[in-house]
Amino acid sequence: MAGSRTQTVGSVFSRTRDLLRIGVIEKPLWFDVYAAFPPLREPVYRVPRPRYGKVKDVVPPIFYQEDEVRAKFYRIYGSGPRPFNLSQLNYKSTCQRFVEKFNELKAEGKIEEEKLFEETGKALLASGIILQRRGTDKVAQQDRQGVETRDSALHLQLQTVLEEMQERKKDQEEQTPELAEAQKEKPSPS
């Protein structure tokens, strides 16, 4: 019964009692106990009263130290070329490995806070994990250069084709009067 709101009308006991009278269900085990020892207050659904005034969020936002590192990682490196492999139980994403290495280097305390992020990337590179920065600016510049070279090449090709067509047209115009004169001098035998 999708969309039915019968749970808001009456209690579980009253609805069960009515279903028993009709003969729709069999008597549940708890029915006789509930009838013998009813609760002091009937458990019925009540619409919650709206709160007036400013509702305060009792749960503060939870941020861990590694959340900042993860956010910076995803901002700089992105999520990577491959999807996460969640079918393996001990799978660690590149970001998780980065965070662990970051925390390890931070615990050593040999590297300054400002350089720690880049040093972590270098340490992962040394261990064989290649990180690719999100090169949106680089990609955009390469695309623009590629478009410019393609446009200039296309422009040259179009210009060459246009010049060839103009030369052909001139040749045809020059040949047409000559052919007409030649035909007048030598009428074709018909």
Side-chain angles (χ1 to χ4, degrees):
M1 296 176 65
S4 176
R5 302 286 185 258
T6 57
Q7 74 274 9
T8 60
V9 179
S11 66
V12 174
F13 180 76
S14 64
R15 290 193 310 257
T16 307
R17 182 190 62 223
D18 294 341
L19 291 173
L20 283 172
R21 285 183 190 161
I22 301 170
V24 176
I25 62 171
E26 294 180 23
K27 185 187 276 187
L29 295 174
W30 55 266
F31 188 79
D32 290 331
V33 176
Y34 190 95
F37 304 102
L40 297 175
R41 187 175 50 87
E42 184 92 15
V44 292
Y45 175 79
R46 292 195 180 111
V47 179
R49 296 186 314 179
R51 293 183 175 179
Y52 295 103
K54 226 178 202 184
V55 178
K56 294 180 182 176
D57 192 11
V58 294
V59 179
I62 300 172
F63 288 107
Y64 296 100
Q65 290 177 341
E66 58 188 43
D67 289 343
E68 294 174 9
V69 177
R70 285 181 201 280
K72 189 173 182 181
F73 176 85
Y74 283 119
R75 187 172 55 247
I76 292 175
Y77 297 111
S79 60
R82 293 175 292 165
F84 296 140
N85 185 4
L86 299 178
S87 62
Q88 296 177 353
L89 296 176
N90 58 355
Y91 176 76
K92 288 186 182 178
S93 67
T94 309
C95 180
Q96 181 62 31
R97 292 173 194 229
F98 186 89
V99 168
E100 289 174 357
K101 193 66 163 178
F102 182 89
N103 289 336
E104 180 183 317
L105 293 174
K106 188 175 183 180
E108 289 177 6
K110 295 178 182 176
I111 304 171
E112 297 175 17
E113 288 286 329
E114 297 84 31
K115 297 179 182 178
L116 189 59
F117 195 83
E118 293 196 18
E119 292 298 323
T120 305
K122 291 176 185 176
L124 284 178
L125 183 62
S127 66
I129 298 174
I130 300 171
L131 301 174
Q132 280 188 315
R133 289 184 178 263
R134 278 183 158 177
T136 53
D137 295 334
K138 294 177 186 175
V139 171
Q141 289 174 357
Q142 289 173 355
D143 285 347
R144 286 187 205 129
Q145 291 172 354
V147 167
E148 289 173 2
T149 56
R150 279 186 266 137
D151 286 347
S152 61
L154 182 63
H155 180 70
L156 287 173
Q157 287 177 347
L158 289 174
Q159 196 169 9
T160 307
V161 169
L162 182 62
E163 289 173 358
E164 289 175 1
M165 288 177 64
Q166 288 175 348
E167 288 176 14
R168 287 182 192 163
K169 192 174 184 180
K170 286 180 184 178
D171 289 343
Q172 286 177 356
E173 288 174 358
E174 291 173 0
Q175 289 176 0
T176 305
E178 292 173 4
L179 287 174
E181 289 177 17
Q183 284 179 356
K184 287 181 183 177
E185 292 174 5
K186 296 180 185 178
S188 61
S190 349

